[in-house]
Structures are given as structure tokens and as C-alpha cells.
């Protein structure tokens, strides 16, 4: 008897989406969105779209004209896409970057940023009773990811954000651009006095990532009730998380931020608000 073959085909009314980047081969989004498409039996597809910089703006407009529902944009286009969008959400403006583009039925190109949403939802998944207003948050790093994290924490009524970065001028510039007096720039490396009453510690730097130097931090001053999270997810348990866990702090790894940030796009393009499960985590991490 022949082995049954799982056949996947598209219909004439399939919904189309993808991720645009240069390069895009590293992106986990096709695997992630593809898992949900199969799980929910959606008549649609999500593809990698490697687009060279000189073709970027024209390509976004072409996808709209080809009837795509939308696209994710990744490095190096998260800022460049601003110029192509007809409409931007408030959070995309405040974060200063777009990662999720939707083409509206009237041809408008709408830009949104869901990175901060992903950050908050990841923490909520593992710490359901988390109260972001319960105490100061310490944010390490002042790059693009930091900006999304800070804006989302402010929107969750975080009372105080202590921002620290190796290059202090970048931290000051970020605080100035966001323009909220709940942000205070503190010294790098972080002092015990800045950590002792923190409710949340977030690493948004690339330190601790595979191939990067480790993050050197003295957690001695941190309260045991503080939650520690890292946006790095390779490795899943960074040295920061291992050190925090060993002293009894609740830790949340960074993979969920990637998974949750994909939800709003999937919902808009394919009509289902997908669920982030442990099976999805394993699938996204497993080799293709
Ligand atoms: P992203 O947009 O992903 O946040 P980024 O803009 O390159 O990336 O920011 C990387 C962050 O990691 C920055 O805060 C960077 O600090 P600097 O602004 O001082 O460069 C931080 N980072 C990277 N390598 C570092 C290192 N060796 N020591 C300390 N911080 C580092």
C-alpha cells in the first residue's frame, strides 16, 4: 500500500502574506506563520521575500497591487518602510519602526509595530498576574528592541523605567525621543542601587546571544520577587536567566516575544487570532 501524501494546495481566493528582508533566510517567520496556517486550516500562504534595498519601496507597492493581505518587514527595512506607509499606528510612530504591514481593501498601506505587544504578551503568558505598575523596570540596552520594550512598558503604566546602555549618549537620545519623564538614564554597568527595588529586569542588548560576549551583571542587589527577562532567545536560557533563576527569580525567555509579535499580523491577514503553545515553540526551534 502506498503511503498517504499530505497535499497542500491553494485555492483561487487564498490569502497571501510574507516577510520582506535582506537577507531573509534567517527568519523564523515563515515557519511560525506556516505552523498556524496548517493548524487552523487557513486557505493561505506566507513566504520569505528577499528584496534588495533598491527594490524595497517598489516591491511593497507591488505586493499590494498583487493582492497580498500584508507583510512583515525585518532588517534592514523596519525604518525604511515608514516612507512607503500611508497610515501608521500610534505605537509604530512612537517606537519609530514598523514590523507589520497590512494592505487595506482601498489600497492603503498601513504600518504597525507589534514588537512591544509581543514583549508584554510573552511576560503575561508566563506570569499571568504580572502588574507592570508594581515597581521600577530596569532596561539594559538602547537599540531598536529597547525602544519597543520601553514604549510598551509605559503603555502598561510602568511607574519608572531605568535605562542603561554601554553608549550613554544613545540612552539619553532614546529617552529624549520617547519624551516621558518616567524614564531615567542610569549608569552602565548597572549599580546595585538601581537594581534593588526593581520589579522587572529586561536585557535588550545582544549580549549573551550565541557568538556574542556574555552579559556581565551583578544580580546581588535584585529582590527575589523581581521578574527577569531577556529578548535574546539563542540560547533560550542566557547566562542572565540562568543566574537569575539560580537565585530564585522568576525568569521568562525571549522566544515568546518573537511568537507573540506575529499574532496581530496573522489575525489581520488570515482572520484567526492564533495561540502560542509549547508545541509551536518546539516547532519553531526545531531544524527545518
Ligand atoms: P537592536 O535594534 O536589535 O536593539 P542595536 O540597535 O544594534 O540592535 O542595539 C544593540 C544593543 O546591544 C545596544 O544597546 C548596544 O549598546 P551600544 O549602543 O553601546 O552599542 C548593545 N551592545 C551590543 N554589544 C555590546 C557590548 N559588547 N557591550 C555592551 N552593550 C552591547
Amino acid at each position: 500500500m502506498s503511503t498517504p501524501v499530505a497535499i497542500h494546495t491553494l485555492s483561487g481566493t487564498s490569502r497571501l502574506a510574507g516577510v520582506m528582508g535582506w537577507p531573509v533566510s534567517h527568519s523564523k517567520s515563515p515557519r511560525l506563520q506556516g505552523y498556524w496556517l496548517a493548524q487552523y486550516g487557513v486557505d493561505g500562504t506566507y513566504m520569505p521575500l528577499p528584496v534588495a534595498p533598491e527594490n524595497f519601496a517598489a516591491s511593497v507597492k507591488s505586493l499590494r497591487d498583487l493582492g497580498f493581505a500584508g507583510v512583515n518587514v525585518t532588517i534592514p527595512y523596519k525604518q525604511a518602510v515608514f516612507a512607503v506607509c500611508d497610515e501608521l499606528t500610534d505605537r509604530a510612530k512612537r517606537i519609530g519602526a514598523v514590523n507589520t504591514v497590512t494592505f487595506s481593501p482601498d489600497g492603503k498601506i498601513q504600518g504597525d509595530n507589534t514588537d512591544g505587544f509581543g514583549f508584554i504578551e510573552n511576560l503575561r503568558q508566563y506570569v499571568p498576574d504580572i502588574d507592570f505598575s508594581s515597581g521600577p523596570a530596569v532596561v539594559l540596552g538602547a537599540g531598536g528592541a529597547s525602544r519597543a520594550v520601553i514604549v510598551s512598558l509605559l503603555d502598561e503604566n510602568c511607574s519608572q523605567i531605568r535605562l542603561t546602555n554601554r553608549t550613554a549618549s544613545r540612552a539619553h537620545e532614546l529617552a529624549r525621543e520617547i519624551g516621558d519623564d518616567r524614564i531615567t538614564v542610569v549608569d552602565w554597568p548597572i549599580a546595585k542601587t538601581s537594581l534593588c527595588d526593581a520589579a522587572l529586569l529586561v536585557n535588550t542588548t545582544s549580549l549573551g546571544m550565541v557568538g556574542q560576549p556574555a552579559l556581565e551583571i551583578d544580580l546581588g542587589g535584585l529582590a527575589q520577587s523581581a521578574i527577569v527577562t531577556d529578548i535574546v532567545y539563542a540560547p533560550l536560557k542566557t547566562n542572565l536567566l540562568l543566574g537569575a533563576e539560580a537565585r530564585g527569580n522568576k525568569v521568562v525567555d525571549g522566544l515568546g516575544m518573537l511568537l507573540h509579535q506575529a499574532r496581530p499580523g496573522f489575525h489581520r491577514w488570515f482572520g484567526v487570532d492564533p495561540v502560542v503553545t509549547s508545541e509551536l515553540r518546539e516547532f519553531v526551534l526545531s531544524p527545518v
Side-chain angles (χ1 to χ4, degrees), residues 58-108:
S59 297
V60 175
K61 290 178 186 164
S62 296
L63 291 182
R64 173 197 58 194
D65 300 342
L66 286 164
F68 269 58
V71 279
N72 285 124
V73 286
T74 187
I75 294 166
Y77 298 132
K78 285 186 168 191
Q79 269 98 29
V81 69
F82 260 78
V84 193
C85 290
D86 300 306
E87 292 165 3
L88 292 164
T89 59
D90 180 56
R91 62 188 180 184
K93 285 186 208 158
R94 289 164 61 226
I95 294 170
V98 162
N99 71 343
T100 305
V101 171
T102 303
F103 303 120
S104 67
D106 62 357
K108 290 251 164 55

Side-chain angles (χ1 to χ4, degrees), residues 257-287:
M257 179 175 172
L258 171 79
L259 306 180
H260 283 282
Q261 65 74 34
R263 281 173 43 208
F266 190 91
H267 190 197
R268 269 171 228 150
W269 309 325
F270 301 118
V272 180
D273 184 9
V275 177
V276 171
T277 59
S278 50
E279 290 76 22
L280 173 66
R281 279 173 65 91
E282 275 168 38
F283 181 79
V284 168
L285 288 176
S286 60

Side-chain angles (χ1 to χ4, degrees), residues 141-146 165-167 170 188 204-207 212-213:
S146 168
N165 194 50
R166 172 182 62 176
T167 311
R170 266 189 108 187
W188 174 279
T204 75
T205 75
S206 49
L207 292 171
Q212 299 293 318

Side-chain angles (χ1 to χ4, degrees), residues 134-159:
S134 68
V138 171
V139 177
L140 312 176
S146 168
R147 194 164 168 145
V149 163
I150 291 174
V151 166
S152 66
L153 286 173
L154 292 171
D155 287 350
E156 292 295 329
N157 297 320
C158 187
S159 54

Side-chain angles (χ1 to χ4, degrees), residues 15-235:
R15 306 280 290 165
L16 308 175
V19 54
M20 221 184 238
W22 187 252
V24 82
S25 53
H26 66 280
S27 175
K28 294 197 185 298
S29 295
R31 202 163 160 77
L32 160 57
Q33 300 265 347
Y35 178 95
W36 282 332
L37 286 170
Q39 186 189 3
Y40 295 108
V42 174
D43 177 19
T45 196
Y46 182 99
M47 59 192 82
L49 300 162
V51 174
E54 61 273 24
N55 299 324
F56 175 69
S59 297
V60 175
K61 290 178 186 164
S62 296
L63 291 182
R64 173 197 58 194
D65 300 342
L66 286 164
F68 269 58
V71 279
N72 285 124
V73 286
T74 187
I75 294 166
Y77 298 132
K78 285 186 168 191
Q79 269 98 29
V81 69
F82 260 78
V84 193
C85 290
D86 300 306
E87 292 165 3
L88 292 164
T89 59
D90 180 56
R91 62 188 180 184
K93 285 186 208 158
R94 289 164 61 226
I95 294 170
V98 162
N99 71 343
T100 305
V101 171
T102 303
F103 303 120
S104 67
D106 62 357
K108 290 251 164 55
I109 301 176
Q110 299 167 331
D112 190 12
N113 190 308
T114 65
D115 287 330
F117 169 86
F119 171 74
I120 297 291
E121 289 291 296
N122 183 35
L123 286 170
R124 284 225 170 94
Q125 181 165 14
Y126 291 99
V127 192
D129 61 348
I130 191 166
D131 175 5
F132 293 97
S133 65
S134 68
V138 171
V139 177
L140 312 176
S146 168
R147 194 164 168 145
V149 163
I150 291 174
V151 166
S152 66
L153 286 173
L154 292 171
D155 287 350
E156 292 295 329
N157 297 320
C158 187
S159 54
Q160 200 194 3
I161 293 177
R162 296 181 190 142
L163 171 62
T164 179
N165 194 50
R166 172 182 62 176
T167 311
S169 58
R170 266 189 108 187
H172 285 287
E173 178 67 9
L174 182 56
R176 195 189 58 75
E177 280 176 20
I178 297 176
D180 191 302
D181 59 14
R182 287 174 289 169
I183 307 172
T184 312
V185 175
V186 298
D187 285 345
W188 174 279
I190 191 93
K192 269 190 180 176
T193 47
S194 298
L195 270 184
C196 59
D197 60 342
L200 178 68
L201 170 62
V202 189
N203 175 43
T204 75
T205 75
S206 49
L207 292 171
M209 193 187 288
V210 173
Q212 299 293 318
L215 170 63
E216 309 283 352
I217 183 168
D218 178 2
L219 296 176
L222 192 67
Q224 252 189 22
S225 56
I227 295 156
V228 180
T229 187
D230 204 323
I231 69 154
V232 170
Y233 58 84

